[in-house]
Amino acid sequence: MPFFRKTNVIKFIPCINSEEMTDKVSTVVCDFVHQNKRPVLGFSAGITVKPLYERMALKAKKNKISFTNVISFNTDEYIDIDKRYKKYSKTNFMNNFLFSRIDINLENTHFPSLDNYKIYDKQIQTLGGIDLLILSVGPNGYIAFNEPDTKFNTTTHIGKLENNTRTYLMNFFDEKINVPTEIITMGIKSILNVKKIILLADGHTKAAPISKLFEGKYSSIWPITSLLYHKDVTVYADIEACRLMQS
């Protein structure tokens, strides 16, 4: 790759279950917020990180950790989700499970949209870049919503969701809806430009991408393997997500 070099070893922290993973990562993130005056955080939204955000909110309240100086950028948002189902938007997810439970200033929270996606990366860099990005991974290896064969040098862009991804996402909605076919997402280059990445993986559906990542070879078919070119990645995975890893 012309602008990134694979020179670092990904840190791996195995966890017994999702609860242990959530507890460990919530402590890391809350400590990071407490120790930095004006941290810029990157968030993803989804079933894997939902318990993490709930635990973060509880720890922030218990330990009196303020998020008032935090600036956040989410990795992605649906395009043209039916108005009846706005509750499934990434914006609504973040508001429900994290932002409404902490003292973050909503004016400091950002989501990619049709109006801003062409300048989204520039907005991030103007603030000095994302200090810590929280990611999860999809069964086919997508990170943010960079599906297989996404180009390595992509920045924030409009992407198409594969049919199997849309089917997978339907499992986490309370009702059957027509999952959008397009999404706005940070690109792979956007993700590799952040300073520190924490990736969470839980359940047997994440075993294949985690195994591919730790084989140590980049493949465009598995977008998660692009993280091999980042200098500071820590992966937290439960037993089920680790089951295909070679000992």
Side-chain angles (χ1 to χ4, degrees), residues 145-198:
F145 268 106
N146 294 285
E147 295 274 33
D149 285 326
T150 299
K151 293 182 179 179
F152 197 88
N153 64 348
T154 51
T155 54
T156 302
H157 64 283
I158 296 174
K160 291 188 178 296
L161 297 179
E162 293 190 348
N163 288 334
N164 60 351
T165 296
R166 295 175 69 231
T167 300
Y168 171 73
L169 294 173
M170 286 179 189
N171 295 326
F172 306 112
F173 294 141
D174 296 330
E175 52 198 314
K176 290 185 178 180
I177 73 168
N178 187 22
V179 177
T181 58
E182 292 185 317
I183 197 160
I184 299 176
T185 180
M186 287 184 187
I188 290 176
K189 184 177 180 181
S190 307
I191 291 170
L192 295 182
N193 277 330
V194 310
K195 298 172 187 175
K196 181 179 179 65
I197 295 172
I198 289 177

Side-chain angles (χ1 to χ4, degrees), residues 34-216:
H34 183 65
Q35 294 166 7
N36 289 272
K37 292 183 178 180
R38 192 169 178 257
V40 180
L41 302 183
F43 292 123
S44 57
I47 194 68
T48 297
V49 293
K50 175 186 171 185
L52 168 64
Y53 296 152
E54 292 173 327
R55 187 70 62 87
M56 281 170 52
L58 289 173
K59 287 192 175 182
K61 182 177 181 180
K62 179 180 179 181
N63 299 317
K64 297 181 179 181
I65 297 173
S66 176
F67 280 69
T68 55
N69 293 328
V70 169
I71 298 171
S72 74
F73 289 87
N74 261 70
T75 58
D76 50 79
E77 181 57 283
Y78 292 120
I79 295 177
D80 292 334
I81 192 167
D82 192 302
K83 291 181 179 180
R84 294 172 296 172
Y85 303 116
K86 284 293 184 182
K87 64 180 180 180
Y88 295 118
S89 70
K90 303 308 181 80
T91 304
N92 196 59
F93 177 98
M94 294 302 302
N95 286 333
N96 284 343
F97 298 114
L98 183 60
F99 296 159
S100 65
R101 306 181 185 201
I102 57 178
D103 60 351
I104 195 168
N105 182 350
L106 290 180
E107 292 183 356
N108 289 335
T109 64
H110 304 84
F111 295 82
S113 69
L114 289 173
D115 294 328
N116 70 10
Y117 78 94
K118 291 183 179 180
I119 61 170
Y120 201 61
D121 290 79
K122 185 175 180 180
Q123 289 178 322
I124 293 170
Q125 294 308 315
T126 298
L127 293 168
I130 292 174
D131 297 308
L132 173 62
L133 173 62
I134 297 169
L135 285 177
S136 58
V137 59
N140 65 358
Y142 67 72
I143 50 175
F145 268 106
N146 294 285
E147 295 274 33
D149 285 326
T150 299
K151 293 182 179 179
F152 197 88
N153 64 348
T154 51
T155 54
T156 302
H157 64 283
I158 296 174
K160 291 188 178 296
L161 297 179
E162 293 190 348
N163 288 334
N164 60 351
T165 296
R166 295 175 69 231
T167 300
Y168 171 73
L169 294 173
M170 286 179 189
N171 295 326
F172 306 112
F173 294 141
D174 296 330
E175 52 198 314
K176 290 185 178 180
I177 73 168
N178 187 22
V179 177
T181 58
E182 292 185 317
I183 197 160
I184 299 176
T185 180
M186 287 184 187
I188 290 176
K189 184 177 180 181
S190 307
I191 291 170
L192 295 182
N193 277 330
V194 310
K195 298 172 187 175
K196 181 179 179 65
I197 295 172
I198 289 177
L199 183 136
L200 291 78
D202 62 339
H204 69 278
T205 62
K206 312 301 175 65
I210 290 300
S211 175
K212 290 295 181 181
L213 175 63
F214 284 99
E215 284 179 7

Side-chain angles (χ1 to χ4, degrees), residues 216-231:
K217 298 178 181 179
Y218 170 73
S219 169
S220 63
I221 298 174
W222 294 93
I224 188 175
T225 61
S226 63
L227 298 182
L228 293 165
Y229 292 85
H230 192 278
K231 62 182 179 180

